[in-house]
Amino acid sequence: MSDVKTYVAGHKSPDTDSICSAISFANFLTQMGTPATPVCAGEANKETKYALSHFGFEHPRIVTNWEAFAPNGGNLYLTDHNESKQIIDGYKSMNMCGVIDHHRIGDFETDGPVFIRMEPVGCTNTILTKLYVENNQDIPKNIAGLMLSAIISDTVLFRSPTCTETDKKMAHKLAEIAGVDIEAYGLDMLKAGADISDLTNDDIVRTDMKEFSEAGKTISIGQISVMDTTDVLAKQDELVTALESLRNANNYDASYIMITNILDESTTLLFSGDVDAVVKNAFGKDIKDNSVFLPNTMSRKKQIVPPILGAMK
Amino acid sequence: MSDVKTYVAGHKSPDTDSICSAISFANFLTQMGTPATPVCAGEANKETKYALSHFGFEHPRIVTNWEAFAPNGGNLYLTDHNESKQIIDGYKSMNMCGVIDHHRIGDFETDGPVFIRMEPVGCTNTILTKLYVENNQDIPKNIAGLMLSAIISDTVLFRSPTCTETDKKMAHKLAEIAGVDIEAYGLDMLKAGADISDLTNDDIVRTDMKEFSEAGKTISIGQISVMDTTDVLAKQDELVTALESLRNANNYDASYIMITNILDESTTLLFSGDVDAVVKNAFGKDIKDNSVFLPNTMSRKKQIVPPILGAMK
């Protein structure tokens, strides 16, 4: 069985933490004696591509169906996700070995015991940094740069309410190893990701989209980060129409897109579906034109998903 | 919110690892700055009482329903379990903070991210030993003794196939701190636990009983360890009758009891319910009088639960 391959994969609609955590955990496993290959569920976004390029990494191989990609099976670790809807399709043919994540735990089940490490911190790579340290493993300079990029991305340069002291501490440790000025590099990376000038309306509403289920209903919530919301909100009506198409195409009960302003740390939440009452209950605000403005809101995981799923119950 | 209490609890039908892990993790949390109280779901068995007494611990407080015990709620960590059927009733009124476990992950779900640490090792206290070490926390001498007792119990003095090199390594570290001769103390503790002379048939079939669900069916599997099976197997028919009462009283699809011989490392599995085909498929052996003999079998988690749940699918 020694020629069974081991893979590490992040979630569908990959973001920077998802792709970088697959690379950094695969490297960890390899250093610990289990050669592992990172893969990703789709093409990296601009922010992630900036980070990969800056630290000299190739784009990981894209896998959209495990049965097709690895017909003979293999070992699979997940990073940055655990809910079945976010896992690359066909994963039941793989031998599930473990999860490293910082999200709520959903419908993840195994037949036997596996390795699971979840902590309520801002970024999967923060947990991975601890894992390297606990196991006395050196972090290669370019891997440290990627891991730092993920923490900057998930915490929006430490501004997100999901950011913990542990995230900051690990980020500074990684910056030292990588030889990177966090603030200067971080702003450059976030700017590269926030450029949406070449995106269609369909692209925008599908950005970083994740599915969630509650009370027998499935919804999607995407998030796009910008430095200035003027242009994107000028076409709010067109975006709601694009959300409606997305919702119909996937039979979702509702589809949401968070338009997050990185600089003033606010989010405009647009949605399609008959969920005015859900959104009103979730955030205690009146709804106008399928939209609600949420100041001091940047985190889908902490500030959007729990109230919406709660209101759906 | 600083007067919110934090509790740590093991599973229903508590065994030595379940009770000792609640005590050792509560102590860890307390040392780390979050005062925590260990509780247990029921009365300790003889083996656990031997360990508690040997290292000078009181029996932890018994909690059978969280809503009744803590009407104002509180923070809750689970050790040595995660499936809802094994959690003390009424737990949904508590704020779920995390899990330390070494079993398969079942139907555990949270609204937000929590602390989860699971590893495929033989004992929860092995993971907890790592947690103390990683966080540079000294393990008090009597706590080390309890943690060692749990590893000896779960691995049956390193004989169980669930025992890993990590379990052995941590056990030796704990034995050194506790000043205990593993082999001598371990045999005394296991003997104390294997004394079933005062148990009724109903007691025997309920020993260390856990519920499992698969394909919409719920079953129970208990386990009792003895040094000699002669006496207990002489009344096999009465035990199957007791299992049938247990099954009817709880509406289980099937009820199993593992009678495990510690010395020759074998298990006689008795059962009630219309599951001859399931048992036959699970173990590839012919069934006789609601019983099957399984040599080299000591682990419910690794050798009994996966094949039975697999055969139920």
PDB file of all heavy atoms in Angstrom, chain A residues 121-141:
ATOM      1  N   VAL A 121      -9.892  30.353  15.072  1.00  0.00           N
ATOM      2  CA  VAL A 121      -8.968  31.455  14.760  1.00  0.00           C
ATOM      3  C   VAL A 121      -9.326  31.981  13.370  1.00  0.00           C
ATOM      4  O   VAL A 121     -10.211  31.452  12.690  1.00  0.00           O
ATOM      5  CB  VAL A 121      -7.492  30.996  14.809  1.00  0.00           C
ATOM      6  CG1 VAL A 121      -7.090  30.642  16.234  1.00  0.00           C
ATOM      7  CG2 VAL A 121      -7.240  29.824  13.866  1.00  0.00           C
ATOM      8  N   GLY A 122      -8.597  33.003  12.921  1.00  0.00           N
ATOM      9  CA  GLY A 122      -8.981  33.688  11.692  1.00  0.00           C
ATOM     10  C   GLY A 122      -8.587  32.987  10.414  1.00  0.00           C
ATOM     11  O   GLY A 122      -9.104  33.312   9.341  1.00  0.00           O
ATOM     12  N   CYS A 123      -7.680  32.016  10.502  1.00  0.00           N
ATOM     13  CA  CYS A 123      -7.119  31.468   9.261  1.00  0.00           C
ATOM     14  C   CYS A 123      -6.579  30.061   9.494  1.00  0.00           C
ATOM     15  O   CYS A 123      -5.978  29.780  10.536  1.00  0.00           O
ATOM     16  CB  CYS A 123      -5.976  32.389   8.809  1.00  0.00           C
ATOM     17  SG  CYS A 123      -5.160  31.864   7.288  1.00  0.00           S
ATOM     18  N   THR A 124      -6.799  29.177   8.524  1.00  0.00           N
ATOM     19  CA  THR A 124      -6.279  27.814   8.624  1.00  0.00           C
ATOM     20  C   THR A 124      -4.757  27.803   8.759  1.00  0.00           C
ATOM     21  O   THR A 124      -4.187  26.990   9.475  1.00  0.00           O
ATOM     22  CB  THR A 124      -6.674  26.999   7.375  1.00  0.00           C
ATOM     23  OG1 THR A 124      -8.081  27.076   7.206  1.00  0.00           O
ATOM     24  CG2 THR A 124      -6.266  25.546   7.509  1.00  0.00           C
ATOM     25  N   ASN A 125      -4.098  28.729   8.054  1.00  0.00           N
ATOM     26  CA  ASN A 125      -2.637  28.741   8.105  1.00  0.00           C
ATOM     27  C   ASN A 125      -2.082  29.146   9.467  1.00  0.00           C
ATOM     28  O   ASN A 125      -0.919  28.875   9.763  1.00  0.00           O
ATOM     29  CB  ASN A 125      -2.077  29.623   6.984  1.00  0.00           C
ATOM     30  CG  ASN A 125      -1.930  28.827   5.692  1.00  0.00           C
ATOM     31  OD1 ASN A 125      -1.018  28.013   5.564  1.00  0.00           O
ATOM     32  ND2 ASN A 125      -2.854  29.020   4.762  1.00  0.00           N
ATOM     33  N   THR A 126      -2.909  29.772  10.299  1.00  0.00           N
ATOM     34  CA  THR A 126      -2.487  30.056  11.678  1.00  0.00           C
ATOM     35  C   THR A 126      -2.352  28.736  12.439  1.00  0.00           C
ATOM     36  O   THR A 126      -1.378  28.519  13.164  1.00  0.00           O
ATOM     37  CB  THR A 126      -3.528  30.970  12.358  1.00  0.00           C
ATOM     38  OG1 THR A 126      -3.552  32.208  11.644  1.00  0.00           O
ATOM     39  CG2 THR A 126      -3.201  31.211  13.819  1.00  0.00           C
ATOM     40  N   ILE A 127      -3.336  27.849  12.255  1.00  0.00           N
ATOM     41  CA  ILE A 127      -3.277  26.527  12.895  1.00  0.00           C
ATOM     42  C   ILE A 127      -2.086  25.745  12.352  1.00  0.00           C
ATOM     43  O   ILE A 127      -1.362  25.084  13.092  1.00  0.00           O
ATOM     44  CB  ILE A 127      -4.588  25.749  12.635  1.00  0.00           C
ATOM     45  CG1 ILE A 127      -5.793  26.566  13.095  1.00  0.00           C
ATOM     46  CG2 ILE A 127      -4.561  24.382  13.312  1.00  0.00           C
ATOM     47  CD1 ILE A 127      -7.136  26.021  12.601  1.00  0.00           C
ATOM     48  N   LEU A 128      -1.866  25.853  11.033  1.00  0.00           N
ATOM     49  CA  LEU A 128      -0.754  25.116  10.416  1.00  0.00           C
ATOM     50  C   LEU A 128       0.593  25.609  10.934  1.00  0.00           C
ATOM     51  O   LEU A 128       1.523  24.822  11.110  1.00  0.00           O
ATOM     52  CB  LEU A 128      -0.836  25.225   8.892  1.00  0.00           C
ATOM     53  CG  LEU A 128      -1.962  24.386   8.270  1.00  0.00           C
ATOM     54  CD1 LEU A 128      -2.184  24.749   6.811  1.00  0.00           C
ATOM     55  CD2 LEU A 128      -1.634  22.901   8.396  1.00  0.00           C
ATOM     56  N   THR A 129       0.697  26.913  11.181  1.00  0.00           N
ATOM     57  CA  THR A 129       1.952  27.433  11.739  1.00  0.00           C
ATOM     58  C   THR A 129       2.213  26.770  13.092  1.00  0.00           C
ATOM     59  O   THR A 129       3.338  26.338  13.388  1.00  0.00           O
ATOM     60  CB  THR A 129       1.872  28.961  11.904  1.00  0.00           C
ATOM     61  OG1 THR A 129       1.443  29.552  10.685  1.00  0.00           O
ATOM     62  CG2 THR A 129       3.241  29.539  12.289  1.00  0.00           C
ATOM     63  N   LYS A 130       1.154  26.671  13.924  1.00  0.00           N
ATOM     64  CA  LYS A 130       1.307  26.006  15.224  1.00  0.00           C
ATOM     65  C   LYS A 130       1.738  24.552  15.043  1.00  0.00           C
ATOM     66  O   LYS A 130       2.570  24.043  15.791  1.00  0.00           O
ATOM     67  CB  LYS A 130      -0.018  26.055  15.999  1.00  0.00           C
ATOM     68  CG  LYS A 130      -0.412  27.443  16.443  1.00  0.00           C
ATOM     69  CD  LYS A 130      -1.786  27.470  17.096  1.00  0.00           C
ATOM     70  CE  LYS A 130      -1.809  26.800  18.452  1.00  0.00           C
ATOM     71  NZ  LYS A 130      -3.152  26.938  19.094  1.00  0.00           N
ATOM     72  N   LEU A 131       1.171  23.898  14.028  1.00  0.00           N
ATOM     73  CA  LEU A 131       1.483  22.489  13.784  1.00  0.00           C
ATOM     74  C   LEU A 131       2.971  22.308  13.439  1.00  0.00           C
ATOM     75  O   LEU A 131       3.625  21.382  13.930  1.00  0.00           O
ATOM     76  CB  LEU A 131       0.608  21.986  12.631  1.00  0.00           C
ATOM     77  CG  LEU A 131       0.193  20.527  12.623  1.00  0.00           C
ATOM     78  CD1 LEU A 131      -0.515  20.140  13.906  1.00  0.00           C
ATOM     79  CD2 LEU A 131      -0.731  20.256  11.440  1.00  0.00           C
ATOM     80  N   TYR A 132       3.490  23.192  12.586  1.00  0.00           N
ATOM     81  CA  TYR A 132       4.931  23.139  12.284  1.00  0.00           C
ATOM     82  C   TYR A 132       5.743  23.317  13.578  1.00  0.00           C
ATOM     83  O   TYR A 132       6.674  22.556  13.844  1.00  0.00           O
ATOM     84  CB  TYR A 132       5.315  24.258  11.303  1.00  0.00           C
ATOM     85  CG  TYR A 132       5.136  23.954   9.832  1.00  0.00           C
ATOM     86  CD1 TYR A 132       3.948  24.249   9.163  1.00  0.00           C
ATOM     87  CD2 TYR A 132       6.167  23.381   9.078  1.00  0.00           C
ATOM     88  CE1 TYR A 132       3.785  24.007   7.805  1.00  0.00           C
ATOM     89  CE2 TYR A 132       6.016  23.123   7.723  1.00  0.00           C
ATOM     90  CZ  TYR A 132       4.822  23.433   7.094  1.00  0.00           C
ATOM     91  OH  TYR A 132       4.671  23.175   5.748  1.00  0.00           O
ATOM     92  N   VAL A 133       5.361  24.316  14.373  1.00  0.00           N
ATOM     93  CA  VAL A 133       6.128  24.616  15.585  1.00  0.00           C
ATOM     94  C   VAL A 133       6.067  23.448  16.565  1.00  0.00           C
ATOM     95  O   VAL A 133       7.093  22.999  17.087  1.00  0.00           O
ATOM     96  CB  VAL A 133       5.600  25.910  16.248  1.00  0.00           C
ATOM     97  CG1 VAL A 133       6.252  26.119  17.618  1.00  0.00           C
ATOM     98  CG2 VAL A 133       5.847  27.110  15.338  1.00  0.00           C
ATOM     99  N   GLU A 134       4.863  22.922  16.804  1.00  0.00           N
ATOM    100  CA  GLU A 134       4.689  21.833  17.771  1.00  0.00           C
ATOM    101  C   GLU A 134       5.507  20.602  17.385  1.00  0.00           C
ATOM    102  O   GLU A 134       5.948  19.853  18.240  1.00  0.00           O
ATOM    103  CB  GLU A 134       3.218  21.419  17.824  1.00  0.00           C
ATOM    104  CG  GLU A 134       2.308  22.412  18.505  1.00  0.00           C
ATOM    105  CD  GLU A 134       0.846  22.193  18.143  1.00  0.00           C
ATOM    106  OE1 GLU A 134       0.528  21.156  17.522  1.00  0.00           O
ATOM    107  OE2 GLU A 134       0.035  23.065  18.475  1.00  0.00           O
ATOM    108  N   ASN A 135       5.665  20.397  16.084  1.00  0.00           N
ATOM    109  CA  ASN A 135       6.388  19.212  15.625  1.00  0.00           C
ATOM    110  C   ASN A 135       7.842  19.512  15.265  1.00  0.00           C
ATOM    111  O   ASN A 135       8.490  18.706  14.594  1.00  0.00           O
ATOM    112  CB  ASN A 135       5.644  18.590  14.436  1.00  0.00           C
ATOM    113  CG  ASN A 135       4.352  17.922  14.873  1.00  0.00           C
ATOM    114  OD1 ASN A 135       4.348  16.799  15.337  1.00  0.00           O
ATOM    115  ND2 ASN A 135       3.240  18.659  14.768  1.00  0.00           N
ATOM    116  N   ASN A 136       8.323  20.679  15.732  1.00  0.00           N
ATOM    117  CA  ASN A 136       9.724  21.069  15.504  1.00  0.00           C
ATOM    118  C   ASN A 136      10.115  21.013  14.032  1.00  0.00           C
ATOM    119  O   ASN A 136      11.218  20.584  13.696  1.00  0.00           O
ATOM    120  CB  ASN A 136      10.667  20.169  16.318  1.00  0.00           C
ATOM    121  CG  ASN A 136      10.372  20.271  17.803  1.00  0.00           C
ATOM    122  OD1 ASN A 136      10.276  21.372  18.340  1.00  0.00           O
ATOM    123  ND2 ASN A 136      10.196  19.131  18.457  1.00  0.00           N
ATOM    124  N   GLN A 137       9.212  21.440  13.174  1.00  0.00           N
ATOM    125  CA  GLN A 137       9.498  21.460  11.741  1.00  0.00           C
ATOM    126  C   GLN A 137       9.838  22.884  11.296  1.00  0.00           C
ATOM    127  O   GLN A 137       9.086  23.826  11.599  1.00  0.00           O
ATOM    128  CB  GLN A 137       8.272  20.984  10.951  1.00  0.00           C
ATOM    129  CG  GLN A 137       7.927  19.527  11.164  1.00  0.00           C
ATOM    130  CD  GLN A 137       9.022  18.606  10.645  1.00  0.00           C
ATOM    131  OE1 GLN A 137       9.459  18.714   9.510  1.00  0.00           O
ATOM    132  NE2 GLN A 137       9.508  17.720  11.514  1.00  0.00           N
ATOM    133  N   ASP A 138      10.960  23.041  10.590  1.00  0.00           N
ATOM    134  CA  ASP A 138      11.275  24.341  10.005  1.00  0.00           C
ATOM    135  C   ASP A 138      10.270  24.643   8.903  1.00  0.00           C
ATOM    136  O   ASP A 138       9.862  23.748   8.163  1.00  0.00           O
ATOM    137  CB  ASP A 138      12.688  24.331   9.403  1.00  0.00           C
ATOM    138  CG  ASP A 138      13.760  24.353  10.485  1.00  0.00           C
ATOM    139  OD1 ASP A 138      13.460  24.874  11.581  1.00  0.00           O
ATOM    140  OD2 ASP A 138      14.870  23.847  10.241  1.00  0.00           O
ATOM    141  N   ILE A 139       9.901  25.922   8.780  1.00  0.00           N
ATOM    142  CA  ILE A 139       9.021  26.330   7.687  1.00  0.00           C
ATOM    143  C   ILE A 139       9.892  26.957   6.600  1.00  0.00           C
ATOM    144  O   ILE A 139      10.571  27.949   6.853  1.00  0.00           O
ATOM    145  CB  ILE A 139       7.976  27.360   8.163  1.00  0.00           C
ATOM    146  CG1 ILE A 139       7.188  26.792   9.356  1.00  0.00           C
ATOM    147  CG2 ILE A 139       7.049  27.761   7.025  1.00  0.00           C
ATOM    148  CD1 ILE A 139       6.151  27.768   9.929  1.00  0.00           C
ATOM    149  N   PRO A 140       9.911  26.364   5.376  1.00  0.00           N
ATOM    150  CA  PRO A 140      10.712  26.955   4.299  1.00  0.00           C
ATOM    151  C   PRO A 140      10.273  28.403   4.043  1.00  0.00           C
ATOM    152  O   PRO A 140       9.100  28.746   4.201  1.00  0.00           O
ATOM    153  CB  PRO A 140      10.408  26.066   3.089  1.00  0.00           C
ATOM    154  CG  PRO A 140       9.905  24.772   3.668  1.00  0.00           C
ATOM    155  CD  PRO A 140       9.210  25.143   4.946  1.00  0.00           C
ATOM    156  N   LYS A 141      11.228  29.241   3.618  1.00  0.00           N
ATOM    157  CA  LYS A 141      10.983  30.670   3.461  1.00  0.00           C
ATOM    158  C   LYS A 141       9.794  30.967   2.535  1.00  0.00           C
ATOM    159  O   LYS A 141       8.922  31.783   2.869  1.00  0.00           O
ATOM    160  CB  LYS A 141      12.263  31.307   2.891  1.00  0.00           C
ATOM    161  CG  LYS A 141      12.257  32.807   2.886  1.00  0.00           C
ATOM    162  CD  LYS A 141      13.640  33.363   2.491  1.00  0.00           C
ATOM    163  CE  LYS A 141      13.555  34.876   2.347  1.00  0.00           C
ATOM    164  NZ  LYS A 141      14.845  35.491   2.023  1.00  0.00           N
TER     165      LYS A 141
END
